[in-house]
Amino acid sequence: MSNLVPVRHLFGPGPCNPYPEATAALGLPLLGHLDPLFIERMDRVCDGLRTLWGTGNRRTLPLSATGSAGMEAAFVNTIRPGDVAVIAVNGLFGERMCEVAARVGAEVVRVDHEYGTPVDAQRVADAHPNPAVIAAVHAETSTGVVSDIAALGAIKGDALLITDAVTSIGGMPVLADEWGIDIGYAGSQKCIGVAPGLAPFTISERAFERRVERPQSWYLDLGLLGGYTTGSTGGGRTYHHTAPVAMVASLEAGINRILEEGLDAVTRRHQEAGTALQDGIQEMGLELFAAQGHRLPQLTSVKVPQTVDSARVRKYLLERFNIEIGAGVGKYADSVWRIGLMGPNANPGSVALLLAALREAIDKA
């Protein structure tokens, strides 16, 4: 079997194709995870992540794992057995929040929404008078819907607000401090344009002071992790684990690429590409799944025509054009396509390629 891997156009829900700078950085000379030069790099990465998160939080760092570990970290560090967690569910990743919260002993109060619709902040506020945490997904990858996190911040009261920003960070505005996000987690592999493997994470001082002192996960203990990335109470760095140094170098390059272009410009590029794709899809006679006015530009959900075999179209795209798009999830697995234009893929050329290839695939698959 050949070891050659074709160059795929990763136009699914993630990962996307990385920025070239992020790929090149993986080949830089390796540093030890306690090397002073690596500590300086980690400091720069944490500063860059503060900019992407829109926060001044001291404890903003890349967790050494994927975005799902960011979700785990958010709940194991904030939930004690019996705590009430009000969780807005409007897609698969809200469902996963419920599962993770339940496993750490939370009394989960679900606020279910129809898939394809945004979170209703008032319904969340009415769900329980005094929850310990409120949690929601900003950009629901399973449906292509964006929700108003600022509205949740306005009604959270004494609760801590946990936010999944995996598909939003680096592609659209995320303003943690302004919106009232207490704990936010994301992934490196979507709009940030880096390979999967790191979870950009931020926690406010308010949330850190209320954290679980000895969470059930040693690896994801934010008290210990904070000592490594920001220094211990004595001022020095404390060893916790062997950080994935090459991935951190790649993340630094991806962040620098975004900041050099400018956050506003990157947001505009993602918006323009997403709008062009969605307009083109509708001009083909196809219907979008996410509610109008709440559609993500970077992740477009499309209803598969009843006369079309979803899997055959996706197979045709992969084999004929090296294009990957995603299926739907759950009961929508065969009736929805998820098409991502994230990171460097958010450009007019990707839109043109996608529309032409999809038109041919529907006709011939």
Side-chain angles (χ1 to χ4, degrees), residues 31-35 38-39 228 239 241-243 245:
L31 295 172
H33 63 286
L34 295 175
D35 189 304
F38 177 71
I39 297 299
Y228 174 58
Y239 168 72
H241 68 282
T242 301
V245 291

Side-chain angles (χ1 to χ4, degrees), residues 57 156 159-163 176 180-184 202-204 206-207:
N57 289 341
K156 71 177 182 179
L160 298 175
L161 178 58
I162 296 175
T163 301
I181 295 172
D182 291 290
I183 304 102
T202 190
I203 180 169
S204 68
R206 172 177 180 260

